[in-house]
């Protein structure tokens, strides 16, 4: 019972309540904790190591392109844990995943992502895996750190993230009254960002040339005299049909809207950063894995470090075990689809329904847990001191002030009421 609660991503209190309502017997919470820490958690760790070793063996002697992203256990400033994960770009295999506790970064959550990424990368290198290219979200800090510490590494930004940042910036400019003519262009220009990234195929010059060309296009000029050697000086679209909609949309060269747009398009930092988008990379697949973590570690619960780690490890085992599932079919043999809302893209799309998960590794884990239990001698331990790497060794709690003994707090409360 105790093992099944954890392995299925449940929480003891909820299952205990269910049993109480059904008038069923239940192990005590203390027994559950002891079984969990003595047997279940070590067995999860053992299985996760096996999965990771098998995966990494596939990549020995190869140069990998990896994509990484962070997930906080709760949004924003209250985050206690940050999971940083790298997947191999083609297969989507998880190749490295680490948990950073707020206490490891002096209680600063913004540093958690950086630290997580470094550790996840280092663990890959320590395992003898060569890295050719790293793809991350567009963060200036991460870019400068990678450039400094790993200059030989190709670094790419997620095109989706880059397009989103550009869209935000452009929308802010278009929101100004004098630039109102820019508003109908915002979505087109964001699409242009995608297009340039997709078409550049590794060439920074090709990307920049296409990128700047849009300043002509928005004024209804589709061929221009001065081109650079890398690109033809014309738009790549088919001849445009004359429509009244477009007539009102074209910008007047030199108008406020056009000048403001030129400022955004030719912004030095943006032009400088375009080289990070030449390989048209994405980290979106990690959203899928982050949903697995959610299944094992619900956001409204708080977990101790060893338990949060074990629940993340379960998510990795589950993800790796089930990622190659086939497309499910209905009674007529037709492939099934489901609609899905992406928080990342803020829109609905259809995704193929995959065959049901088999969890075929669970009987093996159960067997291992029972085996360890059957040969265990003596009473189970009642205390579990933090092991190496446990953030409680740095600081007992994440509170900014040290905890006061409960007895003293009660005494203070009483004296206030008197
Ligand atoms: Zn054009």
């Amino acid at each position: 019972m105790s093992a099944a609660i954890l392995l299925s991503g449940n929480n003891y209190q909820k299952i205990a309540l269910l049993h109480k309502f059904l008038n069923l017997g239940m192990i005590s919470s203390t027994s559950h904790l002891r079984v969990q820490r003595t047997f279940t958690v070590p067995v999860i760790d053992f299985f996760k190591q096996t999965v990771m070793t098998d995966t990494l063996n596939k990549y020995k002697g190869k140069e990998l392109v990896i994509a990484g992203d962070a997930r906080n256990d709760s949004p924003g400033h209250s985050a206690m844990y940050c999971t940083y994960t790298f997947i191999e770009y083609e297969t989507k295999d998880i190749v490295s995943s680490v948990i950073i506790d707020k206490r490891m970064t002096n209680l600063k959550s913004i540093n958690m992502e950086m630290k997580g990424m470094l550790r996840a990368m280092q663990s890959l290198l320590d395992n003898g895996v060569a890295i050719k290219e790293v793809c991350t979200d567009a963060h200036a800090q991460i870019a400068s750190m990678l450039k400094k510490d790993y200059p030989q590494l190709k670094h790419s930004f997620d095109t989706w993230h880059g397009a989103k940042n550009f869209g935000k910036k452009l929308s802010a400019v278009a929101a100004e009254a004098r630039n109102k003519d820019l508003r109908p262009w915002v979505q087109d220009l964001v699409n242009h960002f995608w297009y340039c990234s997709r078409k550049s195929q590794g060439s920074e010059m090709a990307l920049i040339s296409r990128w700047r060309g849009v300043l002509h296009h928005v004024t209804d000029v589709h061929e221009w005299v001065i081109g650079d050697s890398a690109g033809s000086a014309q738009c790549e679209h088919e001849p445009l049909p004359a429509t009244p909609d477009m007539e009102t949309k074209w910008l007047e060269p030199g108008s406020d809207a056009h000048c403001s747009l030129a400022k955004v398009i030719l912004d030095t930092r943006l032009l400088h950063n375009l080289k990070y988008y030449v390989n048209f990379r994405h980290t979106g697949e990690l959203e899928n894995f982050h949903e697995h973590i959610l299944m094992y570690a619900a956001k409204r619960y708080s977990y101790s470090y060893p338990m949060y780690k074990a629940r993340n490890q379960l998510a990795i085992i589950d993800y790796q075990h089930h990622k190659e599932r086939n497309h499910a079919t209905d009674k007529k043999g037709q492939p099934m689809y489901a609609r899905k809302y992406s928080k990342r893209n803020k829109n609905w799309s259809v995704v193929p329904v995959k065959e049901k998960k088999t969890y075929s590794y669970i009987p093996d884990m159960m067997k291992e847990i029972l085996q360890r239990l059957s040969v265990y001698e003596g009473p189970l331990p009642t205390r579990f001191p933090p092991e190496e790497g446990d953030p409680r060794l740095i600081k007992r709690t994440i509170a900014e002030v040290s905890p006061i003994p409960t007895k003293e707090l009660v005494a203070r409360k009483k004296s206030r009421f008197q």
Side-chain angles (χ1 to χ4, degrees):
M1 168 67 70
S2 174
I5 289 173
L6 179 55
L7 296 183
S8 59
N10 277 296
N11 288 79
Y12 174 84
Q13 282 82 0
K14 284 213 159 192
I15 302 295
L17 194 62
L18 173 92
H19 278 225
K20 187 180 157 73
F21 289 178
L22 278 171
N23 226 358
L24 287 173
M26 183 71 179
I27 60 161
S28 70
S29 65
T30 43
S31 298
H32 168 66
L33 288 178
R34 287 178 195 173
V35 169
Q36 184 171 269
R37 291 298 305 278
T38 317
F39 305 110
T40 321
V41 169
V43 167
I44 294 170
D45 188 56
F46 172 72
F47 271 73
K48 185 258 179 179
Q49 301 307 344
T50 312
V51 166
M52 289 308 286
T53 308
D54 289 350
T55 309
L56 289 181
N57 280 341
K58 280 172 34 186
Y59 300 111
K60 284 269 156 71
K62 289 183 185 159
E63 279 202 311
L64 299 198
V65 177
I66 53 174
D69 198 11
R71 178 200 176 266
N72 290 339
D73 65 325
S74 56
H77 299 296
S78 59
M80 168 123 170
Y81 303 116
C82 167
T83 307
Y84 200 97
T85 307
F86 277 120
I87 55 172
E88 195 278 325
Y89 200 77
E90 294 301 325
T91 61
K92 318 293 181 205
D93 273 333
I94 292 175
V95 288
S96 184
S97 184
V98 298
I99 299 166
I100 296 297
D101 180 286
K102 225 176 166 179
R103 284 166 281 195
M104 296 169 176
T105 55
N106 293 326
L107 303 181
K108 284 202 178 75
S109 49
I110 42 162
N111 296 340
M112 288 162 82
E113 182 162 353
M114 292 264 282
K115 189 157 193 148
M117 186 194 156
L118 272 183
R119 282 212 183 165
M121 246 175 69
Q122 200 51 52
S123 109
L124 264 181
L125 297 172
D126 292 346
N127 275 297
V129 175
I131 306 169
K132 183 166 69 178
E133 181 181 341
V134 178
C135 168
T136 66
D137 274 358
H139 288 307
Q141 283 163 302
I142 286 186
S144 63
M145 185 261 306
L146 277 181
K147 207 171 150 190
K148 192 170 124 271
D149 296 348
Y150 302 89
Q152 75 291 358
L153 215 61
K154 167 76 188 156
H155 184 201
S156 295
F157 285 157
D158 179 19
T159 297
W160 174 83
H161 202 242
K164 187 182 134 183
N165 289 348
F166 167 68
K168 263 190 190 167
K169 210 168 155 193
L170 189 63
S171 299
V173 173
E176 292 172 33
R178 66 193 179 99
N179 297 330
K180 70 174 187 344
D181 293 346
L182 212 48
R183 288 171 208 168
W185 282 101
V186 172
Q187 191 53 52
D188 296 327
L189 290 160
V190 170
N191 292 348
H192 183 64
F193 187 96
W194 279 91
Y195 176 80
C196 291
S197 171
R198 185 160 58 82
K199 294 288 267 187
S200 61
Q201 300 189 330
S203 163
E204 188 183 354
M205 268 320 285
L207 204 168
I208 291 181
S209 170
R210 274 197 188 87
W211 178 245
R212 290 191 294 217
V214 82
L215 286 174
H216 296 282
H217 173 82
V218 294
T219 62
D220 199 13
V221 172
H222 310 284
E223 273 186 67
W224 48 98
V225 188
I226 307 157
D228 46 50
S229 53
S232 59
Q234 59 182 5
C235 291
E236 288 166 17
H237 52 74
E238 301 284 303
L240 297 171
T243 59
D245 277 6
M246 282 313 291
E247 287 311 313
T248 56
K249 204 171 157 180
W250 300 122
L251 300 180
E252 194 62 41
S255 64
D256 278 355
H258 191 232
C259 290
S260 300
L261 176 64
K263 251 189 197 164
V264 178
I265 295 285
L266 303 177
D267 175 68
T268 324
R269 185 188 290 192
L270 192 142
L271 289 181
H272 175 78
N273 279 342
L274 285 179
K275 63 174 177 286
Y276 292 106
Y277 298 100
V278 294
N279 285 346
F280 192 52
R281 300 289 191 194
H282 305 278
T283 62
E285 176 65 21
L286 283 148
E287 197 181 2
N288 196 358
F289 169 60
H290 292 163
E291 278 169 22
H292 277 72
I293 299 181
L294 206 58
M295 166 179 161
Y296 292 97
K299 284 205 175 189
R300 50 182 291 268
Y301 286 90
S302 65
Y303 299 100
S304 66
Y305 181 78
M307 293 321 298
Y308 192 71
K309 187 173 156 194
R311 284 168 181 269
N312 271 257
Q313 290 178 326
L314 280 170
I316 293 174
I317 299 170
D318 183 341
Y319 173 93
Q320 278 298 114
H321 199 84
H322 292 119
K323 62 185 264 292
E324 305 290 353
R325 275 175 300 150
N326 288 327
H327 200 151
T329 49
D330 61 15
K331 281 176 192 158
K332 289 176 186 158
Q334 296 299 313
M336 289 160 73
Y337 291 90
R339 37 177 206 185
K340 188 181 168 195
Y341 184 73
S342 167
K343 276 212 271 187
R344 192 178 153 94
N345 296 324
K346 292 200 174 52
N347 65 17
W348 289 90
S349 60
V350 283
V351 287
V353 175
K354 289 189 170 179
E355 283 175 344
K356 279 211 167 76
K357 291 187 191 177
T358 58
Y359 298 102
S360 56
Y361 54 91
I362 292 290
D364 294 334
M365 291 181 91
M366 282 290 198
K367 195 170 142 194
E368 181 69 27
I369 291 165
L370 287 170
Q371 222 145 38
R372 290 190 188 197
L373 176 85
S374 66
V375 297
Y376 194 86
E377 284 177 12
L380 295 182
T382 52
R383 292 175 64 82
F384 299 91
E387 287 168 13
E388 199 195 324
D390 192 314
R392 285 173 297 176
L393 293 170
I394 304 170
K395 204 163 178 284
R396 243 183 93 199
T397 71
I398 59 157
E400 305 275 336
V401 288
S402 299
I404 298 157
T406 312
K407 252 188 191 169
E408 200 186 316
L409 288 173
V410 172
R412 281 191 202 174
K413 193 179 165 82
K414 271 189 183 159
S415 70
R416 266 208 308 275
F417 279 104
Q418 278 156 8

